[in-house]
Amino acid sequence: MAQAPPTAAPEDAPATPEDALAIVEGVPIDTRHWIDGTRVPSASASTFTDHSPMDMDMDMDGAPLARIARGGPGEARAAVVAARTAFPGWAATPPAERARLLHAVADGVDARAEDLAAVETADNGALLRSHRRGVMPRVAHNFRYFADRLLALGHEDFDTRGHTNHVSWDPAGPAVLITPWNAPLMLASWKVAPALAAGSTVVLKPAEWTPLTASLLADITHEAGLPPGVFNLVQGYGEEVGAPLAADPDVCRVSFTGSVPTARRVAGAAAAHLVPCSFELGGKSPLLVLADADLELAADLAVEQYDNAGQVCLAATRILVEEPVRDAFLDRFLDRVSKLTQGDPRDEATDIGPNIHPRHVERVDGFVRRAVEAGAKAVTGGGRNTALGGNYYLPTLLTDVAQDSEIVQEEVFGPVLTLQTFPGGDDDEAVRLANGTRFGLAATLVAGDRDRAARIGARLVAGTVWVNCFFVRDLSAPFGGSRDSGIGREGGDWSFDFYCDLKNTVTAPKGWTRHG
């Protein structure tokens, strides 16, 4: 996931007693760290400011949502020590009890779904209706799924020359989970739930641009009855608190979702202690439209790539259309774009809200400006929606782009799509274009011929291929990417494989002495 890395802002300041509590959309939020079952201020007594993307202008002015405790090496170490101390007890907790507690966390999410939805929308600008109807129910589902999957976890014993092999999953130890800003609580729950289910303890470090629902999650885990130190939360900038977390010798797993450059730094820090890492790093996914496709469906799926203002790691931002249907597809696509409503994400009628931060909008706009200067044509959009404010970027489609151009090769992470074509019947060229980046997270294929779709789909480099659909995500399926899109898979038993140490116990059939 590409993003402009936040850095310390000039307005960071010493904490005051009032800084420990923020009221966002009527919801009280404690903005201190959560370490070893209690709220902890920063040892340096400093804070950083959290803004809403809805009211920030390009000068980064706007009313602050909250002042957040700013952690550093001291808070990182304290959280890891708490997780290490709590680990033996949590690992020894019977699976049924761990599952019960995870269901209690899910109950807490359900009970506070409206609060969580309102706060998340204020914090990251995604649609309130999506948070209410889809995201927060899915957060609760994530905890329930891994609770239930824990109780079903197992492998049949098997025989080797009369010896019995028994496979077991042993909890690995403290896990550091570093999560992004585009879907803060959802992506945190994809990591927190399986880690806790596996018997590992957790230190969560949320993105500094969107820390608020993670703090509410700390309250929910406490109310659900998780023992002190099992779930810990530290807040702050990546270089100040994320880096020491990844480098701590008592950490046993690191899971990170974010940008490729940051992943390289995390991997380097973890490598010193041979700590396994799981990375989900975004992509530059293709959407292939074949000549026999249902073009109404194809246009619907293409417009869906503007979801969350284009800030979706697996978005199919490169539209590849078979030449004979290029114009027919484009007419349908542009008609749908013209009907999109951009505005306040709290409004039920809004389809596209703001991007996350003025610095990120500038990054997105830079990609578009350079593409146009290089010869690309913006057939829709192409700049900021100045009528709404600095963080709103118009849904954009660029044509006349070269395969080796920056706009085709690099992740923009905004509402910007490109359109390319391939000759009719030329599957090799379609695959070449689709696979022609350093990423490999996902691919979407719209086709009428099942056999042709299967042949092309089998050749695509992607962790997930959707055929005539998009973003159908079952937690039992593996999720992750190839190439620069990441390392490892999340979901189902793959999550337990990461947060556990797998053990095979081989027992001989002879040599037993009966006692008593």
Side-chain angles (χ1 to χ4, degrees):
M1 184 189 78
Q3 56 182 335
T7 55
E11 70 269 17
D12 289 359
T16 65
E18 293 77 17
D19 289 333
L21 183 67
I23 307 296
V24 177
E25 298 294 309
V27 180
I29 304 169
D30 195 314
T31 61
R32 295 172 292 178
H33 313 287
W34 177 258
I35 299 174
D36 201 20
T38 190
R39 290 289 177 177
V40 178
S42 294
S44 64
S46 64
T47 63
F48 63 95
T49 303
D50 180 34
H51 290 273
S52 173
M54 294 185 293
D55 62 7
M56 292 181 74
D57 60 28
M58 293 310 294
D59 295 324
M60 290 183 281
D61 291 329
L65 285 178
R67 298 196 67 85
I68 310 297
R70 178 177 170 181
E75 288 76 24
R77 182 59 187 160
V80 172
V81 168
R84 170 59 71 182
T85 302
F87 171 66
W90 183 244
T93 300
E97 176 62 9
R98 291 207 302 267
R100 184 191 70 79
L101 289 168
L102 288 180
H103 273 287
V105 172
D107 291 342
V109 171
D110 281 337
R112 302 204 64 183
E114 283 293 321
D115 288 350
L116 292 166
V119 170
E120 190 103 303
T121 291
D123 209 14
N124 87 327
L127 300 184
L128 180 59
R129 71 171 193 245
S130 295
H131 282 142
R132 282 174 168 166
R133 299 171 191 170
V135 175
M136 296 312 160
R138 187 58 185 263
V139 169
H141 171 72
N142 291 342
F143 282 99
R144 296 192 196 283
Y145 171 84
F146 284 106
D148 295 340
R149 185 66 207 153
L150 167 63
L151 300 181
L153 189 64
H155 190 290
E156 289 188 4
D157 291 352
F158 58 98
D159 179 82
T160 303
R161 298 188 302 277
H163 296 64
T164 300
N165 293 264
H166 176 74
V167 177
S168 57
W169 284 258
D170 292 353
V176 165
L177 313 178
I178 303 174
T179 54
W181 45 257
N182 60 316
L185 193 57
M186 167 70 81
L187 294 180
S189 67
W190 276 1
K191 300 178 188 296
V192 173
L196 294 178
S200 290
T201 50
V202 162
V203 179
L204 174 63
K205 191 274 178 195
E208 47 266 54
W209 281 348
T210 53
L212 298 181
T213 51
S215 190
L216 292 175
L217 179 62
D219 294 334
I220 290 169
T221 63
H222 177 62
E223 292 160 5
L226 261 65
V230 171
F231 176 88
N232 304 276
L233 170 73
V234 289
Q235 304 155 140
Y237 298 104
E239 63 271 24
E240 294 178 358
V241 71
L245 282 173
D248 195 295
D250 283 327
V251 168
C252 294
R253 295 291 188 272
V254 176
S255 181
F256 168 79
T257 298
S259 69
V260 173
T262 302
R264 291 195 174 105
R265 292 194 292 272
V266 170
H273 304 290
L274 297 180
V275 175
C277 294
S278 174
F279 292 146
E280 195 273 274
L281 308 177
K284 192 72 176 176
S285 300
L287 190 161
L288 293 96
V289 181
L290 304 189
D292 63 352
D294 178 341
L295 296 184
E296 300 294 336
L297 172 64
D300 286 341
L301 294 178
V303 171
E304 195 173 340
Q305 309 312 309
Y306 291 129
D307 183 48
N308 201 20
Q311 299 167 143
V312 178
C313 57
L314 45 76
T317 57
R318 295 183 297 125
I319 304 174
L320 309 176
V321 183
E322 200 160 6
E323 183 62 44
V325 296
R326 187 258 191 197
D327 291 345
F329 165 81
L330 184 57
D331 287 345
R332 289 167 171 80
F333 174 82
L334 293 176
D335 177 65
R336 284 161 172 76
V337 173
S338 70
K339 297 173 182 175
L340 294 175
T341 299
Q342 190 167 31
D344 189 325
R346 294 167 295 191
D347 190 328
E348 281 282 319
T350 296
D351 300 305
I352 300 178
N355 287 100
I356 184 67
H357 193 278
R359 191 154 60 246
H360 186 66
V361 176
E362 182 60 32
R363 179 182 182 277
V364 171
D365 192 50
F367 275 111
V368 174
R369 290 197 313 268
R370 291 189 296 272
V372 171
E373 289 168 1
K377 177 184 177 183
V379 295
T380 187
R384 297 183 180 91
N385 189 335
T386 55
L388 293 176
N391 278 358
Y392 290 82
Y393 204 85
L394 291 167
T396 296
L397 177 69
L398 300 175
T399 62
D400 303 322
V401 294
Q403 177 66 15
D404 62 354
S405 63
E406 178 192 54
I407 196 66
V408 170
Q409 292 295 318
E410 297 299 325
E411 188 178 34
V412 177
F413 219 63
V416 179
L417 311 179
T418 60
L419 177 66
Q420 298 168 269
T421 61
F422 57 93
D426 194 341
D427 291 2
D428 290 342
E429 180 64 3
V431 171
R432 184 188 75 82
L433 294 174
N435 290 342
T437 74
R438 61 193 173 96
F439 297 101
L441 183 57
T444 301
L445 179 62
V446 192
D449 185 306
R450 182 184 296 271
D451 291 338
R452 187 184 182 199
R455 289 194 303 270
I456 293 175
R459 299 171 62 188
L460 299 177
V461 178
T464 300
V465 176
W466 284 291
V467 181
N468 291 341
C469 60
F470 176 67
F471 205 13
V472 178
R473 166 88 165 98
D474 192 302
L475 282 175
S476 297
F479 179 79
S482 305
R483 297 176 175 170
D484 278 11
S485 285
I487 298 173
R489 295 293 184 268
E490 298 177 334
D493 290 356
W494 292 274
S495 289
F496 287 95
D497 290 349
F498 177 70
Y499 293 110
C500 291
D501 290 320
L502 269 71
K503 177 174 23 181
N504 185 40
T505 302
V506 184
T507 304
K510 298 180 181 180
W512 299 103
T513 300
R514 186 183 297 275
H515 294 281

